[in-house]
Amino acid sequence: MKLNSVVFKLGATILFLQLIILIPLGYIILQLILNYSMNETEQQLAQLSEKYATQVNSIDDPENLQLLEHLADMTDTSAVILDQNGETVLQTNWHDDITDEVLANPQIKQLEAGETIVEDYTFNSTTYLKVAQPITNQDNIQGSVVLFSSFGLISNSIHNIIFFVILASLGAVALAIGFTFFISKKLGAPLIAMEKVAKQIAEKKNFSLRVDYKANDEIGSLAHAINHLSETLERYQTNRNEFFSNITHELKTPLTYVKGYANAVRHEMYQSKEERDEFLEIIENETDHISNLMDDLTDLSKIEEGKIDLNKEDININKLAEEMIRRSQFRASEKGLSLHLDIPDSTTFLFADKSRLDQVLTNLVENAVRYTEKGSITLAIKEERNDVIMQVKDTGIGIKKEDIPYLFERFYRVDKSRSRANGGTGLGLAIVKNLVEMHDGDIHVDSELNKGTTITLRFPKEEQLND
């Protein structure tokens, strides 16, 4: 495991936090246990010394020594019996490093008052627990019994306690390390997987890779974001490849026509002046097609890069629609189509870019003319509350339902066999959709195969946008 890896850093952080909690907690528990043991020892020595004091009838009785030795052995203490003046009468299991001054004068007076003395006593760097109990006989103080314990009674238990606390601490640390390793691996594994996927995407352009991690947390959200990015890049790569393929095809086809017919004119491969003029007209039409394609590509590129600024103004939509119908009348008449305009009696205004809105209507109406062989085309303008609605309705070839979701993609053609003959670039509807969305509008398509298509544009009025 690398020291600078996220798994190590995460694990070290978790372990550090655990140790911060475990070490003080272990120390507190140890102190509580030690204090409890000390209190228990004090109470036990006090009870034993009190019991001994009540059983002594006379401090001069020889049996007192045997009883005292038994008490000292049982409690692992040094024991001494003092007379009323504090002089030693009997002692057993005595240690040389215990001071000869067993009791100070104030303590002797405390015992004379019938009090029990319990205190910590340090002499020659050794700490003792001293318990003194007065010996009474018929309510008279004969002397006192004093026990000195260098924690002999609790030393073994303290060592055991310390041993078990240390053992438990080591076990807790081991569990903490194991838990930390598990958690860090659990948390770090998806991050490492994301790193590998991101590297593959960046270095090898393998956009088909996905992070296999699903969870409703921040890591899951990051995995979803990477997968979404990968899907977007994959779609972008596919679209780019299709785009270049389509561009190549769209340019190559008219250039082939231009080259072929130009070569025919150059070598006088025509039978009459009319046929030559027809060849030249074809060259002119294909040149216009290339020019229109370049214009559409330029517009689409500017739109997608956000380089088109809308010059909005109050537009008379009724007048714009009338101009649109007038321009398209000639082409519609050539195909025997009738154009209709349906506008309200009152003037309809919309705050928009006039040239771009004209471009939208031009694309839609010319598209309708291009794909309608008989019948009519209607351009309708309506107002509904805070919206301005524009509809282009035709009685043309219609669109299959499965084709509608892809209608606004670049170079997508509904009738691929007839699209070249009709002269479309395959970019018009993509441009329309982008321009409509730039005006905060939306576009909707209703169509039935062989019965016609209705495209509805809905634009919010400026008053609604300002609310």
Side-chain angles (χ1 to χ4, degrees), residues 178-193:
F179 175 76
T180 299
F181 180 77
F182 174 77
I183 291 297
S184 58
K185 275 288 186 181
K186 192 75 175 175
L187 295 177
L191 295 177
I192 293 173

Side-chain angles (χ1 to χ4, degrees), residues 25 40 45 94 97 124 142 160 176 227 234 236 256-257 283 308 311 443 445:
L25 183 62
E40 285 294 309
L45 287 179
W94 198 254
D97 56 354
N124 289 342
Q142 295 186 29
N160 290 335
N227 288 338
E234 185 178 25
Y236 172 79
T256 300
Y257 280 115
I283 292 173
I308 286 186
N311 299 314
I443 186 168
V445 179

Side-chain angles (χ1 to χ4, degrees), residues 90-150:
L90 293 172
Q91 65 181 24
T92 183
N93 200 22
W94 198 254
H95 295 286
D96 294 335
D97 56 354
I98 299 178
T99 179
D100 291 336
E101 187 181 10
V102 178
L103 294 174
N105 289 330
Q107 293 175 333
I108 293 174
K109 292 180 179 180
Q110 282 182 265
L111 291 172
E112 289 176 352
E115 298 179 8
T116 300
I117 296 174
V118 179
E119 67 174 11
D120 293 339
Y121 170 75
T122 302
F123 185 77
N124 289 342
S125 301
T126 303
T127 301
Y128 297 90
L129 178 61
K130 182 169 70 174
V131 177
Q133 192 77 31
I135 298 174
T136 59
N137 186 9
Q138 296 179 354
D139 298 331
N140 294 322
I141 303 298
Q142 295 186 29
S144 58
V145 58
V146 184
L147 303 179
F148 287 90
S149 174
S150 60

Side-chain angles (χ1 to χ4, degrees), residues 248-308:
T248 302
H249 174 75
E250 291 295 329
L251 289 175
K252 189 174 182 179
T253 301
L255 286 174
T256 300
Y257 280 115
V258 170
K259 182 178 180 181
Y261 284 104
N263 187 59
V265 172
R266 180 186 176 192
H267 294 91
E268 298 182 354
M269 298 170 62
Y270 46 83
Q271 301 300 322
S272 63
K273 181 178 179 299
E274 289 76 13
E275 188 176 23
R276 184 199 66 180
D277 292 342
E278 183 181 349
F279 288 175
L280 291 175
E281 184 180 0
I282 291 173
I283 292 173
E284 184 179 6
N285 290 337
E286 294 302 325
T287 304
D288 289 340
H289 181 80
I290 294 174
S291 178
N292 292 335
L293 178 61
M294 292 297 101
D295 290 342
D296 285 347
L297 284 172
T298 300
D299 284 345
L300 191 60
S301 176
K302 288 181 178 179
I303 291 171
E304 292 184 345
E305 292 178 8
K307 293 183 178 179
I308 286 186

Side-chain angles (χ1 to χ4, degrees), residues 19-81:
L19 291 178
I20 285 179
I21 297 172
L22 286 175
I23 291 175
L25 183 62
Y27 176 79
I28 292 171
I29 292 174
L30 181 60
Q31 290 299 315
L32 290 174
I33 293 174
L34 290 177
N35 290 334
Y36 175 78
S37 298
M38 287 289 297
N39 292 333
E40 285 294 309
T41 302
E42 289 179 2
Q43 291 179 11
Q44 187 177 2
L45 287 179
Q47 291 173 358
L48 288 173
S49 61
E50 182 180 3
K51 186 176 181 181
Y52 176 80
T54 58
Q55 291 179 354
V56 175
N57 296 321
S58 174
I59 61 175
D60 297 327
D61 191 345
E63 293 183 358
N64 292 339
L65 178 60
Q66 185 178 359
L67 185 60
L68 188 64
E69 287 177 349
H70 177 70
L71 177 64
D73 290 338
M74 185 174 61
T75 59
D76 193 19
T77 59
S78 297
V80 60
I81 294 178

